[in-house]
């Protein structure tokens, strides 16, 4: 039986009774005590709320704060309804995260202010309203499975190549943009040189339906139709989720729905999953990560659909040592990249120790490309592309493929550089020499046909002559060499080779056996 009561919505008698009890509870509460929610809207129909569960005793405040992917216990809470401060604290792996809110109660609204980053001068303000007790409570942990080795899915024999939405679009990615990227990749020469995956990152998620199935939000009206479209272009579609209850952007994660979500992804025609730790950090220790990642590894395999499995937990717990065992085809080795020379080089040049862990089917992932996003020079982007090729890194373009400059296009589609990245031997390169000041580095990568890629990187602020003695890089009886950026043949008769390498630039050679 349906009734139009309690605000006019059509509700059943049972829901009506529960709603009225909740309303009665709410009006009985006064002061700060209660459960408060801030609605976070991205205009896509997904319900995302931050919860402030407060208990006031005199002028001290206890409770918890659940905001996007984080869950904090209130460590210090002082003040009264007129003015209060709460400091939340949580452990994230071995480090403590803290958040501070200042607030006051006005009528029945909680006015809150916080600084997103400690260094922010501007306050971020929001308004919380009372919601029923228990809403937004953290779910229970899932049972950790016994560890076993997840069978290799046979995919990613070479590092995956494609595009990912996050670096350029973040929360603004939608169906039209994804179709546009597929159109561009199929027609601008990228597909022809090996780019294949079109990967939707965070913010596609809607809420769960009555059966617990994940839905897509209004930015993605029909995920299956989108997959069909991408497939019709000869490309593959990737998606994103988290083992936590929330993704990093605060959307619905796969927590407790792992098998169900893997099946949904397979039904939609998804070919690649990036699985991002995010909200799982509130529930599990780092030591529990392998078991948690194994759950999705098993679930993907059980769908019977070939789905590349990409682990994203920022390189914690030496993921390169266990990523393959949980079914991972690739694993992020660091925190997030930014479109900045410092960020890109801090990540790229720190990968030397990880070479031994990469092999066909299982790759270190120093994060997606920033090439073409505008804040680095072409020399810097050539360094980015060359370094990622030496590292046998996934090549996931992160720019707007519909509007590229000719030089961005040339950098992303250089066939000789891509051939080094995709080399079938699958042996990640490493540093062979660095100048005393660390500004100049020579890296090499052994290739399947006996050739060697030799990269001369100049991280300094001025152009520098760099010299490589063939014998020093293990190239005694070498053959012909080609500069992979200029496509010029390089004279290999002399015992050494010298080039003027621009500031923040690179010279990369392919030296035949
Ligand atoms: C994390 C990941 C990023 C991106 C965002 C999305 O920060 O490391 O690559 O997926 O989440 O919210």
């Amino acid at each position: 039986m349906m009734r139009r009561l309690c605000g006019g919505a059509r509700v059943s008698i049972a829901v009506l009774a529960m709603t009225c009890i909740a309303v009665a509870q709410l009006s009985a509460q006064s002061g700060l005590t209660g459960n408060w929610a801030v609605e976070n809207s991205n205009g896509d129909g997904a319900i995302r709320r931050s919860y402030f569960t407060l208990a006031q005793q005199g002028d001290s405040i206890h409770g918890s704060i659940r905001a996007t992917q984080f869950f904090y216990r209130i460590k210090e809470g002082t003040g009264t309804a007129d003015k209060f401060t709460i400091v939340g604290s949580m452990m994230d792996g071995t480090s403590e995260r803290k958040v501070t809110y200042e607030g006051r109660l006005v009528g029945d609204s909680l006015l809150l202010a916080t600084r997103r980053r400690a260094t922010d001068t501007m306050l971020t303000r929001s308004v919380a309203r009372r919601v029923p007790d228990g809403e937004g409570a953290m779910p229970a942990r899932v049972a950790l499975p016994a560890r076993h080795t997840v069978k290799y899915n046979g995919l990613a024999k070479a590092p995956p190549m494609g595009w990912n939405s996050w670096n350029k679009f973040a929360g603004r990615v939608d169906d039209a943009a994804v179709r546009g990227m597929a159109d561009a990749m199929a027609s601008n020469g990228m597909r022809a040189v090996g780019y294949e995956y079109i990967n939707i990152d965070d913010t596609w998620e809607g809420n769960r339906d009555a059966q617990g199935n994940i839905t897509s939000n209004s930015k993605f009206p029909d995920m299956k139709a989108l997959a069909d479209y991408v497939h019709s272009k000869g490309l593959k579609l990737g998606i994103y989720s988290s083992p936590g209850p929330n993704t990093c952007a605060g959307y619905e994660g796969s927590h407790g729905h792992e098998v169900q979500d893997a099946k949904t992804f397979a039904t939609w025609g998804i070919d690649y999953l990036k699985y991002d730790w995010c909200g799982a950090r509130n529930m599990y220790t780092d030591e529990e990560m392998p078991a948690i990642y194994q759950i999705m590894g098993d679930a993907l395999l059980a769908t019977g659909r070939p789905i590349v499995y990409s682990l994203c937990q920022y390189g914690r717990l030496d993921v390169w040592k266990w990523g393959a065992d949980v079914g991972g085809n690739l694993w992020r080795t660091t925190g997030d990249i930014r479109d900045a020379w410092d960020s890109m080089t801090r990540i790229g040049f720190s990968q030397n120790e990880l070479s031994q862990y990469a092999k066909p089917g299982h790759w270190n992932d120093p994060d997606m490309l920033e090439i073409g996003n505008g804040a680095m020079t072409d020399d810097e982007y050539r360094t980015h592309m060359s370094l990622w090729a030496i590292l046998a890194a996934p090549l996931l373009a992160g720019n707007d493929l519909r509007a590229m400059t000719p030089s961005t296009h040339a950098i992303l589609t250089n066939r000789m550089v891509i051939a080094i990245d995709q080399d079938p031997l699958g042996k990640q390169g490493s540093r062979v020499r660095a100048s005393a000041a660390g500004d100049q580095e020579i890296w090499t990568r052994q290739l399947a046909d006996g050739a060697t890629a030799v990269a001369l990187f100049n991280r300094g602020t001025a152009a520098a002559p760099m010299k490589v003695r063939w014998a020093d890089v293990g190239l005694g009886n070498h053959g012909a060499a080609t500069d992979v950026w200029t496509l010029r043949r390089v004279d290999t008769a002399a015992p050494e080779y010298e080039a003027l390498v621009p500031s923040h630039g690179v010279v990369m050679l392919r030296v035949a056996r």
Side-chain angles (χ1 to χ4, degrees):
M1 190 187 298
M2 305 292 278
R3 287 279 184 281
R4 271 185 187 277
L5 277 170
C6 272
R10 261 181 185 278
V11 291
S12 72
I13 292 291
V15 172
L16 180 67
M18 277 164 53
T19 309
C20 291
I21 291 166
V23 169
Q25 271 178 0
L26 294 186
S27 28
Q29 287 173 345
S30 60
L32 299 174
T33 297
N35 197 18
W36 302 84
V38 175
E39 196 91 26
N40 307 306
S41 173
N42 192 18
D44 53 25
I47 298 170
R48 292 184 306 148
R49 293 192 177 129
S50 298
Y51 291 95
F52 297 79
T53 307
L54 308 180
Q56 185 184 354
Q57 288 166 328
D59 59 3
S60 77
I61 301 153
H62 307 275
S64 61
I65 302 165
R66 181 175 178 189
T68 63
Q69 54 174 316
F70 302 114
F71 181 76
Y72 308 89
R73 298 266 169 219
I74 295 176
K75 193 175 172 180
E76 296 156 41
T78 51
T80 57
D82 292 340
K83 188 175 189 306
F84 66 90
T85 304
I86 46 178
V87 180
S89 158
M90 63 172 273
M91 287 312 288
D92 182 5
T94 50
S95 44
E96 185 186 19
R97 276 181 186 271
K98 281 167 113 177
V99 68
T100 301
Y101 284 86
E102 287 171 7
R104 65 197 166 96
L105 186 63
V106 176
D108 210 21
S109 297
L110 215 50
L111 309 191
L112 296 160
T114 188
R115 281 176 222 283
R116 287 233 168 87
R117 278 171 294 268
T119 50
D120 283 357
T121 45
M122 293 286 285
L123 289 169
T124 303
R125 297 180 188 280
S126 52
V127 179
R129 308 204 187 283
R130 284 189 190 276
V131 293
D133 286 350
E135 189 189 305
M138 286 293 279
R141 287 161 49 100
V142 299
L144 299 182
R147 293 293 314 284
H148 65 94
T149 302
V150 177
K151 198 170 139 251
Y152 170 47
N153 59 13
L155 303 173
K157 295 249 163 65
M161 290 178 65
W163 174 87
N164 174 291
S165 60
W166 187 254
N167 286 355
K168 176 72 187 177
F169 292 89
R172 297 176 308 280
V173 64
D174 62 9
D175 179 281
V178 171
R179 284 172 194 252
M181 295 312 143
D183 293 344
M185 191 181 279
S187 62
N188 71 6
M190 288 182 78
R191 186 182 66 190
V193 297
Y195 289 90
E196 185 178 23
Y197 291 95
I198 298 280
N199 292 348
I200 306 167
D201 207 280
D202 203 354
T203 79
W204 65 267
E205 307 87 343
N207 301 112
R208 292 191 182 275
D209 68 14
Q211 285 72 45
N213 296 308
I214 187 76
T215 64
S216 50
N217 63 42
S218 64
K219 293 189 299 160
F220 292 91
D222 187 340
M223 207 52 103
K224 169 111 182 59
L226 180 56
D228 289 346
Y229 184 79
V230 170
H231 293 155
S232 78
K233 296 278 161 184
L235 299 168
K236 298 194 161 120
L237 185 65
I239 211 163
Y240 167 100
S241 192
S242 169
N246 294 103
T247 67
C248 288
Y251 286 74
E252 185 77 18
S254 290
H255 181 84
H257 294 271
E258 295 80 0
V259 170
Q260 192 176 12
D261 285 1
K263 281 188 189 148
T264 301
F265 299 153
T267 309
W268 285 343
I270 296 295
D271 307 293
Y272 184 117
L273 174 68
K274 172 174 168 182
Y275 206 42
D276 193 349
W277 191 238
C278 298
R281 70 180 93 222
N282 301 304
M283 315 189 75
Y284 306 100
T285 64
D286 281 11
E287 286 64 36
E288 292 169 328
M289 278 179 178
I292 295 294
Y293 273 95
Q294 179 185 303
I295 297 174
M296 186 52 91
D298 281 336
L300 292 176
L301 210 55
T303 66
R305 185 176 174 84
I307 300 177
V308 169
Y309 188 27
S310 158
L311 276 46
C312 177
Q313 41 76 286
Y314 337 116
R316 277 150 66 157
L317 196 74
D318 293 352
V319 60
W320 38 88
K321 294 185 179 156
W322 53 266
D325 293 343
V326 300
N329 297 110
L330 60 157
W331 44 81
R332 278 274 297 279
T333 55
T334 69
D336 291 10
I337 197 169
R338 285 178 301 108
D339 184 19
W341 169 253
D342 283 353
S343 166
M344 183 274 287
T345 52
R346 191 171 45 246
I347 290 175
F349 288 109
S350 70
Q351 304 294 299
N352 191 44
E353 313 305 321
L354 306 184
S355 303
Q356 58 179 302
Y357 301 103
K359 52 180 176 294
H362 311 285
W363 307 101
N364 291 310
D365 172 9
D367 211 354
M368 302 156 313
L369 300 173
E370 291 283 8
I371 295 164
N373 279 335
M376 287 190 256
T377 65
D378 285 347
D379 274 328
E380 292 173 336
Y381 286 139
R382 271 187 286 275
T383 294
H384 191 359
M385 186 78 180
S386 306
L387 186 51
W388 264 235
I390 287 283
L391 295 174
L395 296 178
L396 296 170
N399 60 319
D400 188 342
L401 307 182
R402 300 166 303 186
M404 268 190 282
T405 63
S407 59
T408 295
H409 183 268
I411 294 169
L412 285 172
T413 57
N414 181 310
R415 284 178 186 269
M416 286 200 79
V417 179
I418 290 172
I420 292 171
D421 180 78
Q422 297 284 295
D423 185 78
L425 189 61
K427 203 166 167 357
Q428 179 172 329
S430 52
R431 183 189 287 117
V432 289
R433 210 144 54 78
S435 62
D439 279 353
Q440 279 101 40
E441 302 194 11
I442 299 178
W443 289 59
T444 62
R445 178 172 172 192
Q446 197 188 327
L447 305 173
D449 64 358
T452 303
V454 180
L456 283 57
F457 295 106
N458 176 12
R459 301 172 64 176
T461 49
M466 286 184 69
K467 210 181 271 184
V468 54
R469 282 180 58 82
W470 304 119
D472 289 351
V473 293
L475 292 170
N477 285 322
H478 52 276
T482 309
D483 179 319
V484 300
W485 287 111
T486 63
L487 302 185
R488 283 201 205 101
R489 299 288 283 199
V490 164
D491 178 15
T492 54
E496 60 186 27
Y497 172 72
E498 187 177 89
L500 184 67
V501 186
S503 161
H504 291 188
V506 61
V507 167
M508 187 154 77
L509 309 175
R510 184 182 179 112
V511 187
R513 175 165 41 181

